[in-house]
Amino acid sequence: MIDLNTLDRGSGFSLHEGTPRLALVHHGFRANQIGFADARQDRFTDRYASLGLLNLARSAQADHESGRIRHRPEFRYFDEDHYADDARLAADITAWLRPAKARFVLVSLYSLAFERTAGMLATLDPTEVCIVIGGAHPTMAPRADFAHVVVRGEGGAALRHILTELLEPSFGQGPDARGICFTRGGESHMSPPAFDRSLATIPAPAFRYDLTRPPDDSVERVRVRWWKSLGSRPQIYICTQSCRSRCSFCSTYVIHGNLVSRPVPLVSADLDYIIDELGHDSIEFHDDDLLQHDELDGLLADLGARGVPWSCNARAEFMDSGIAGKLYRAGCRKVFLGIESLDQRTLDYYRKGTTVEMNQNAVRALDAAGIGVVCGFIIGAPHDTVDSIVSDIDRVLELPIAFLSSAILTPDIGTAEFSRAKKRIPLLNSLGDEGTRMNIRPRPDLFGTETPYGLPTVCEEVSKKQLNELYALANCSFFLKESSVARIARLTPADRMEEAEAWCAVQLERARELAESAELDVVRTRAAELLAARV
């Protein structure tokens, strides 16, 4: 990490001379598996702000209002989408920060964009600007040579500590300093992740959505993926933190600790702000599992009274016809359900805590209630074979789902899957110094750019290239199916149908490519059959 003493020797950096300025930088979010897998699909990615950064801004605002921060912080939100290149983004950040004595850049660092974000931040002057990074990746791998401070886990208390104690002898000490990692005078200070319950107490609104509004003060144009779209002016939101489950491929619970639920009165006040003041007409809940909210019935009652459509994520083991009916009556119209597989051995390997029957019943209950199911589906477990994957694809295609969200099992940094993979794939030790996980990042030079980007697959009998072919086959098989097209047409808003049709057209092109040149015989054969059925 950049030594904090560089700021001591810099151009008058000081916390004690007026308003600090904090540049919230949304960078690298669009570097996702969809685009890396097939550039044609990149146009279908999300466009929305970082809730983590907007929550930090609200936390600091509330801390100033309660007297815990001396000077009122000034924030500006910088989104890479608004810039032609990183050079212009960095120049704008620098120009806006320059008038202040206390200048901060806050960035959520994404694994897939590690090198690109590092390159952008390296263009900033570390003697003038304090660079702070956080998010899922730094929580798992906190060593970064392009930042002064790395925050692991929740950042509200850490930001308060930074804004009051940075460069003081007391910096890095006390409960608020948990999660803060830095180097000073050549000595490194590392801290474990911080967990807090601020989501349950921060005054409404919990997120500074106002920072993302255009200069003309019009409604922010959030763009969710067409298959989750419900309104013309959606907004994203969360009211729970962490997840009660412990799936092997996920690190949410490692990053956020135990479950925290925002009380319904505060959720209601947040929604008043989002819907009535900002003018959004639909809500996309980004909670890992909305059904885990401590006051679910009260939450659903509030949502139902509003008459606003919304979508959420949920888990199959808690879903039945009764719950599905409640969700529908409360305005829920789409649910992402992490089915992952209809093979019990695979579900057990993923530590899903579900059965094949639970998965099937959950999808059918939601569909019967009138709710479109976005089905999460993962291939590439160590025991998988070509035949087992094809059979699993066939079983999933029998379900009445509105969208198939396929993925290849990835040993993401910090997950149980990564720990498992390290024991079987020695080359994974090359991702960090001497096999540690403190500065791990994807290595496309070692593992290629196919999904999973810069990481190996863990399947023992099916290669990475073959898994990508099977992944493409699963998508083509679903989106070229007549019943799928009919369900998509029924559940997609009219203003997003052109995009839905374009997505299906990409899958048709991919099917032609698979039929022509796939390495696996079964993929070529099945792709050809899909094309023949359309004639």
Side-chain angles (χ1 to χ4, degrees):
M1 285 172 278
I2 302 171
D3 200 301
L4 286 178
N5 284 344
T6 60
L7 291 171
D8 281 329
R9 299 192 301 269
S11 56
F13 185 99
S14 173
L15 280 178
H16 308 296
E17 300 179 45
T19 300
R21 284 195 167 188
L22 292 86
L24 307 176
V25 184
H26 195 28
H27 187 272
F29 176 70
R30 263 47 104 175
N32 56 64
Q33 297 280 10
I34 290 179
F36 283 123
D38 187 337
R40 290 169 297 190
Q41 299 181 129
D42 191 52
R43 60 172 285 202
F44 302 100
T45 56
D46 297 309
R47 294 291 186 273
Y48 51 77
S50 166
L51 286 182
L53 292 175
L54 300 185
N55 178 251
L56 285 180
R58 181 66 181 113
S59 293
Q61 183 185 52
D63 281 338
H64 171 72
E65 291 167 353
S66 64
R68 304 179 79 177
I69 294 176
R70 181 186 308 172
H71 299 290
R72 183 182 182 87
E74 185 177 359
F75 293 91
R76 181 171 167 184
Y77 190 85
F78 294 84
D79 194 315
E80 65 176 336
D81 272 0
H82 301 157
Y83 293 87
D85 53 50
D86 285 349
R88 296 185 187 183
L89 169 62
D92 242 19
I93 292 170
T94 300
W96 181 76
L97 290 173
R98 187 169 291 119
K101 288 292 186 180
R103 301 171 290 270
F104 295 89
V105 171
L106 276 58
V107 183
S108 287
L109 184 66
Y110 300 97
S111 295
L112 293 179
F114 185 98
E115 299 296 344
R116 192 162 67 83
T117 300
M120 186 274 292
L121 292 176
T123 65
L124 303 177
D125 187 341
T127 69
E128 294 189 353
V129 177
C130 181
I131 301 170
V132 183
I133 64 172
H137 183 98
T139 296
M140 298 293 97
R143 293 197 184 277
D145 59 8
F146 50 87
H148 295 88
V149 179
V150 176
V151 176
R152 308 179 71 188
E154 304 302 327
L159 182 58
R160 179 170 61 243
H161 186 74
I162 291 168
L163 290 176
T164 55
E165 304 295 332
L166 185 72
L167 304 184
E168 299 294 332
S170 57
F171 184 65
Q173 301 175 23
D176 281 359
R178 183 180 175 89
I180 295 178
C181 304
F182 63 97
T183 296
R184 190 171 190 178
E187 182 180 352
S188 292
H189 301 261
M190 306 301 292
S191 177
F195 307 131
D196 65 37
R197 300 187 63 82
S198 62
L199 186 67
T201 59
I202 188 171
F207 307 97
R208 289 285 308 273
Y209 294 109
D210 59 296
L211 293 173
T212 67
R213 298 188 77 165
D216 62 0
D217 203 37
S218 60
V219 174
E220 179 199 358
R221 293 294 176 179
V222 176
R223 184 172 179 82
V224 302
R225 295 174 182 176
W226 64 264
W227 51 90
K228 284 191 175 182
S229 180
L230 293 171
S232 59
R233 298 190 303 277
Q235 185 54 272
I236 61 171
Y237 177 71
I238 61 168
C239 58
T240 63
Q241 185 173 282
S242 196
C243 183
R244 54 187 164 183
S245 300
R246 298 292 183 264
C247 300
S248 68
F249 48 79
C250 183
S251 61
T252 292
Y253 64 93
V254 181
I255 298 165
H256 297 292
N258 294 327
L259 173 66
V260 177
S261 296
R262 187 160 174 79
V264 169
L266 289 176
V267 175
S268 185
D270 289 342
L271 296 178
D272 286 343
Y273 176 72
I274 293 170
I275 297 167
D276 298 334
E277 293 193 36
L278 298 184
H280 296 286
D281 66 355
S282 54
I283 304 295
E284 183 175 313
F285 285 92
H286 278 210
D287 307 70
D288 289 278
D289 173 14
L290 189 65
L291 301 188
Q292 69 187 342
H293 194 286
D294 290 337
E295 305 172 78
L296 181 62
D297 286 343
L299 176 63
L300 295 180
D302 183 274
L303 288 166
R306 294 176 182 277
V308 171
W310 51 274
S311 64
C312 69
N313 305 321
R315 287 183 56 85
E317 67 266 40
F318 302 107
M319 186 64 63
D320 57 27
S321 58
I323 294 293
K326 285 183 179 180
L327 293 177
Y328 184 86
R329 289 189 293 275
C332 180
R333 293 297 178 265
K334 290 183 181 177
V335 168
F336 180 94
L337 209 58
I339 295 300
E340 322 309 5
S341 176
L342 291 180
D343 176 83
Q344 193 60 50
R345 181 184 179 187
T346 302
L347 292 174
D348 294 342
Y349 177 81
Y350 293 157
R351 301 178 183 172
K352 284 297 296 183
T354 57
T355 65
V356 171
E357 185 178 14
M358 285 177 183
N359 282 339
Q360 293 169 328
N361 291 342
V363 173
R364 290 167 182 153
L366 287 166
D367 180 67
I371 298 174
V373 178
V374 178
C375 174
F377 175 57
I378 301 176
I379 63 173
H383 57 267
D384 263 337
T385 64
V386 171
D387 288 343
S388 73
I389 292 171
V390 170
S391 295
D392 211 11
I393 292 172
D394 289 342
R395 288 190 292 268
V396 169
L397 291 179
E398 293 176 359
L399 295 174
I401 59 179
F403 188 89
L404 182 66
S405 180
S406 303
I408 296 172
L409 180 61
T410 304
D412 281 333
I413 297 158
T415 64
E417 204 56 55
F418 184 83
S419 298
R420 287 169 167 175
K422 279 186 65 175
K423 296 175 183 178
R424 297 190 295 106
I425 307 173
L427 196 55
L428 271 176
N429 293 320
S430 302
L431 298 186
D433 293 337
E434 299 177 355
T436 72
R437 63 183 178 90
M438 301 302 280
N439 69 340
I440 294 169
R441 52 189 176 273
R443 291 284 303 274
D445 55 321
L446 292 177
F447 299 111
T449 59
E450 286 188 304
T451 303
Y453 177 84
L455 290 170
T457 51
V458 299
C459 191
E460 295 178 355
E461 293 191 29
V462 188
S463 71
K464 188 171 186 175
K465 182 178 187 301
Q466 292 169 342
L467 284 172
N468 274 269
E469 289 182 359
L470 290 163
Y471 161 85
L473 177 66
N475 288 334
C476 295
S477 298
F478 175 76
F479 291 105
L480 300 183
K481 192 176 164 188
E482 187 174 341
S483 60
S484 299
V485 173
R487 188 172 277 105
I488 287 170
R490 177 167 56 85
L491 296 172
T492 302
D495 64 342
R496 303 298 295 272
M497 269 307 299
E498 183 178 348
E499 193 175 352
E501 291 166 355
W503 173 273
C504 292
V506 169
Q507 308 312 314
L508 179 59
E509 290 179 15
R510 189 71 181 103
R512 290 174 179 143
E513 294 163 0
L514 292 175
E516 178 75 20
S517 59
E519 177 181 309
L520 291 171
D521 291 341
V522 65
V523 173
R524 289 199 312 276
T525 299
R526 290 218 168 194
E529 291 172 351
L530 288 172
L531 297 172
R534 295 178 60 86
V535 175

